[in-house]
């Protein structure tokens, strides 16, 4: 069993906030300086798409905290309509956030554009993108299966919208908000289950909390966005992998610095502490509107099995579910999740991907349309097991954590895919090994 000790000061910058900082920079009037921008492939895809759509994006390395070199991005824009007709399809690679959120902006630009991605992204649902944008007056064409390529006939005359989100999705909320900034009047987005709220915070949008726990977001139309600097905190979804490593690796203690602790992102910590995990949040403060702090995790041999079915909790741990399920399976032999059909629409069908690999590793599992159950570990493999990563960074990292922490012979079908969100994942795990 691996023992992991030390302090992590160079966790990847948050993927969701990095995307939004770049996109909001492109919509703002003036010069937007973003420090600690993510080097992950997904965020680099957003910068590539912005450049190909006529926005000035300059990236350089500068000195950051703890003596680390960090990425600074400078975006120059004249405001809401500063995009230019791209001469080619815009390549979003593996990034659903790029494709969906950029679609909201391009729907408001008076030209045609087309968004494409890699084989994983070309299978993901885009009807949720097309529906609200069509209601606002943009022309959107998808493939017959409701997937990319997303072909957009944009218009300067978008109508304001009152839109109730059909799925709890921060990407859809954000694309509607970005489109609505261009509309001729105030728009309202209603979410009955809260999703991550970085777009609202970063744009300073007014919100109204609803008695049922939901929220209404108000977006003023055609109001210019003044440029402001952004500093990106460390990614809590990346921290989750190191938290699991610390919990599973006997005798481990890991301190993770300067992590975004936005309540819409750290539900996984509440779920884990509820199961007895030794996790402490320290040094809490607010920077640029986002709560930040350090996460201290100690190995927890007596973790209880995780059972997750509350819809609000599911929305709060949607990206962490692969790691939570693999952690619970290896630590306790059991796991259960329901109401999580959205997991089937991620970079891979994550219900199928986790169950497929756990079964290879000797766990008995049951799959449902909206979740799965790990019943028990029937047997331990006698030789090395190859885990199928399905082009999905979070599947690769979840099983890599299990392999490192338990010492079991698990090989990944793809390792480079971790670069989508956590390029130095293996390097950081090596540094923590004691
Ligand atoms: C994201 C929202 C979530 C999440 C994704 C990032 C975002 O997707 O899974 O990794 O940055 O808004 P959905 O909006 O599809 O739930």
């Amino acid at each position: 069993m691996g023992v992991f000790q030390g302090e992590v000061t160079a966790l990847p910058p948050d993927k969701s906030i990095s995307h939004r900082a770049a996109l909001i920079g492109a919509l703002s009037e003036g010069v937007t300086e973003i420090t600690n921008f993510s080097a992950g492939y997904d965020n680099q895809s957003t910068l590539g798409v912005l450049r190909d759509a006529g926005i000035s994006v300059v990236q350089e390395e500068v000195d950051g905290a703890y003596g680390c070199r960090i990425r600074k991005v400078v975006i120059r824009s004249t405001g809401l309509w500063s995009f230019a007709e791209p001469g080619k399809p815009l390549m979003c690679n593996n990034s659903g956030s790029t494709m969906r959120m950029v679609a909201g902006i391009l729907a408001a630009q008076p030209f045609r554009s087309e968004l494409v991605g890699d084989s994983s992204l070309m299978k993901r649902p885009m009807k949720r993108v097309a529906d609200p944008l069509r209601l606002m007056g943009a022309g959107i064409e998808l493939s017959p299966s409701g997937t990319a390529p997303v072909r957009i006939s944009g218009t300067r005359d978008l109508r304001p919208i009152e839109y109730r989100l059909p799925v709890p999705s921060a990407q859809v909320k954000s694309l509607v908000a970005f489109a609505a900034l261009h509309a001729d009047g105030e728009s309202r987005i209603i979410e009955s289950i809260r999703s991550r709220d970085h777009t609202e915070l970063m744009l300073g949008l007014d919100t109204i909390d609803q008695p049922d726990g939901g929220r209404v977001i108000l977006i003023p139309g055609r109001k210019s966005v003044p440029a402001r600097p952004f500093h990106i905190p460390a990614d809590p979804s990346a921290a989750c992998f190191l938290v699991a490593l610390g919990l599973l690796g006997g005798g481990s203690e890991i301190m993770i610095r300067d992590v975004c602790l936005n309540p819409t992102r750290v539900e996984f910590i509440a779920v884990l502490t509820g199961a007895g995990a030794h996790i402490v949040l320290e040094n809490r403060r607010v920077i640029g509107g986002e709560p930040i702090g350090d996460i201290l995790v100690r190995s927890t041999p007596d973790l209880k099995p995780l059972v997750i079915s509350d819809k609000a909790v599911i929305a709060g741990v949607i990206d962490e579910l692969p790691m939570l399920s693999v952690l619970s399976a290896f630590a306790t032999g059991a796991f259960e999740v329901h109401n999580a059909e959205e997991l089937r629409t991620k970079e891979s069908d994550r219900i199928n991907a986790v169950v497929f690999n756990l079964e290879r590793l000797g766990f008995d599992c049951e799959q449902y349309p909206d979740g799965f159950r790990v019943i028990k570990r029937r047997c331990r493999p006698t030789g090395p097991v190859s885990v199928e990563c399905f082009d999905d960074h979070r599947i690769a990292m979840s099983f890599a954590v299990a392999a490192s922490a338990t010492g079991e012979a698990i090989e990944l079908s793809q390792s480079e895919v971790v670069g989508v969100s956590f390029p130095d994942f293996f390097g950081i795990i090596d540094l923590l090994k004691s």
Side-chain angles (χ1 to χ4, degrees):
M1 187 176 273
V3 179
F4 300 89
Q5 277 166 345
E7 183 173 309
V8 179
T9 54
L11 200 69
D14 189 70
K15 181 159 84 69
S16 291
I17 303 179
S18 291
H19 281 305
R20 288 161 172 79
L23 298 175
I24 292 172
L27 292 170
S28 302
E29 253 179 73
V31 180
T32 298
E33 285 199 0
I34 311 168
T35 46
N36 203 34
F37 191 86
S38 169
Y41 306 154
D42 268 13
N43 292 121
Q44 294 298 314
S45 296
T46 287
L47 296 187
V49 164
L50 288 178
R51 280 197 193 98
D52 288 345
I55 302 292
S56 156
V57 179
V58 176
Q59 199 167 190
E60 57 176 316
E61 279 208 354
V62 297
D63 290 331
Y66 313 107
C68 299
R69 299 286 287 169
I70 59 166
R71 230 160 253 262
K72 176 174 158 189
V73 170
V74 179
I75 297 184
R76 288 185 171 77
S77 168
T78 52
L80 294 174
W81 281 282
S82 47
F83 292 76
E85 180 159 0
K88 56 180 182 186
L90 298 168
M91 173 42 86
C92 305
N93 299 304
N94 196 248
S95 179
S97 300
T98 307
M99 184 174 277
R100 291 180 176 141
M101 293 197 276
V102 166
I105 297 174
L106 293 177
Q109 310 298 322
F111 52 73
R112 283 167 185 267
S113 52
E114 179 176 341
L115 295 162
V116 294
D118 69 5
S119 60
S120 152
L121 182 52
M122 295 300 276
K123 291 189 213 106
R124 298 181 64 184
M126 294 297 150
K127 189 173 169 301
R128 58 184 66 189
V129 173
D131 287 347
L133 296 177
R134 284 175 182 149
L135 287 172
M136 295 177 84
I140 310 285
E141 276 173 51
L142 304 175
S143 77
S145 50
T147 52
V150 181
R151 296 204 175 91
I152 302 170
S153 302
T155 169
R156 276 188 83 109
D157 299 317
L158 282 186
R159 294 184 286 273
I161 189 171
E162 178 162 317
Y163 196 63
R164 183 174 284 278
L165 293 174
V167 282
S169 164
Q171 291 174 357
V172 177
K173 175 173 62 177
S174 302
L175 82 88
V176 176
F178 289 146
L181 286 175
H182 302 78
D184 186 14
E186 186 186 84
S187 295
R188 290 175 169 235
I189 304 172
I190 304 143
E191 57 177 1
S192 48
I193 294 177
R194 286 196 201 178
S195 59
R196 63 195 69 190
D197 61 359
H198 306 300
T199 302
E200 300 89 298
L201 288 174
M202 294 169 83
L203 284 172
L205 298 176
D206 289 333
T207 58
I208 307 166
D209 290 349
Q210 301 297 95
D212 63 357
R215 193 170 249 194
V216 179
I217 298 116
L218 310 178
I219 304 108
R222 300 205 175 155
K223 189 162 166 267
S224 80
V225 182
R228 52 158 282 205
F230 294 107
H231 180 83
I232 316 293
D235 192 329
S237 301
C240 178
F241 295 106
L242 303 185
V243 167
L245 187 76
L247 293 174
L248 209 46
S252 298
E253 180 169 315
I254 305 173
M255 171 67 93
I256 313 163
R257 298 282 185 202
D258 297 346
V259 184
C260 173
L261 299 180
N262 180 315
T264 62
R265 298 293 302 283
V266 291
E267 188 67 35
F268 74 95
I269 295 180
V271 167
L272 287 169
T273 47
H278 299 302
I279 301 173
V280 184
L281 302 181
E282 296 180 352
N283 196 16
R284 298 179 79 142
R285 60 222 190 266
V286 175
I287 298 182
E290 290 282 355
I292 315 284
D294 302 337
I295 303 176
L296 177 68
V297 55
R298 292 199 186 90
S299 58
T300 306
D302 52 353
L303 196 72
K304 292 192 218 39
L306 303 180
V307 179
I308 309 174
S309 61
D310 182 280
K311 288 186 179 173
V313 174
I314 298 288
V317 297
I318 195 71
D319 285 346
E320 289 67 60
L321 276 168
M323 185 69 261
L324 292 177
S325 59
V326 173
L327 165 66
S328 181
F330 276 88
T332 75
F335 176 76
E336 198 164 337
V337 62
H338 302 278
N339 288 319
E341 54 280 352
E342 273 296 297
L343 277 182
R344 295 200 183 271
T345 70
K346 298 295 176 185
E347 285 83 330
S348 69
D349 172 343
R350 287 183 173 158
I351 294 178
N352 184 60
V354 172
V355 168
F356 177 89
N357 287 312
L358 286 178
E359 284 178 341
R360 275 193 171 181
L361 287 156
F363 291 86
D364 282 337
C365 304
E366 256 175 17
Q367 248 193 81
Y368 320 111
D370 69 339
F372 62 101
R373 181 157 86 97
V374 180
I375 302 161
K376 63 172 190 319
R377 195 164 199 185
R378 182 180 11 92
C379 61
R380 277 167 191 270
T382 48
V385 174
S386 170
V387 156
E388 176 56 55
C389 297
F390 297 97
D391 292 324
D392 188 331
H393 55 133
R394 298 198 200 281
I395 297 299
M397 290 189 278
S398 301
F399 285 96
V401 162
S404 302
T406 63
E408 290 188 30
I410 297 173
E411 289 159 6
L412 302 181
S413 65
Q414 295 165 296
S415 52
E416 65 296 339
V417 71
V418 306
V420 161
S421 62
F422 199 160
D424 200 22
F425 172 77
F426 294 107
I428 288 183
I429 291 194
D430 277 348
L431 283 178
L432 290 170
K433 220 174 257 169
S434 59

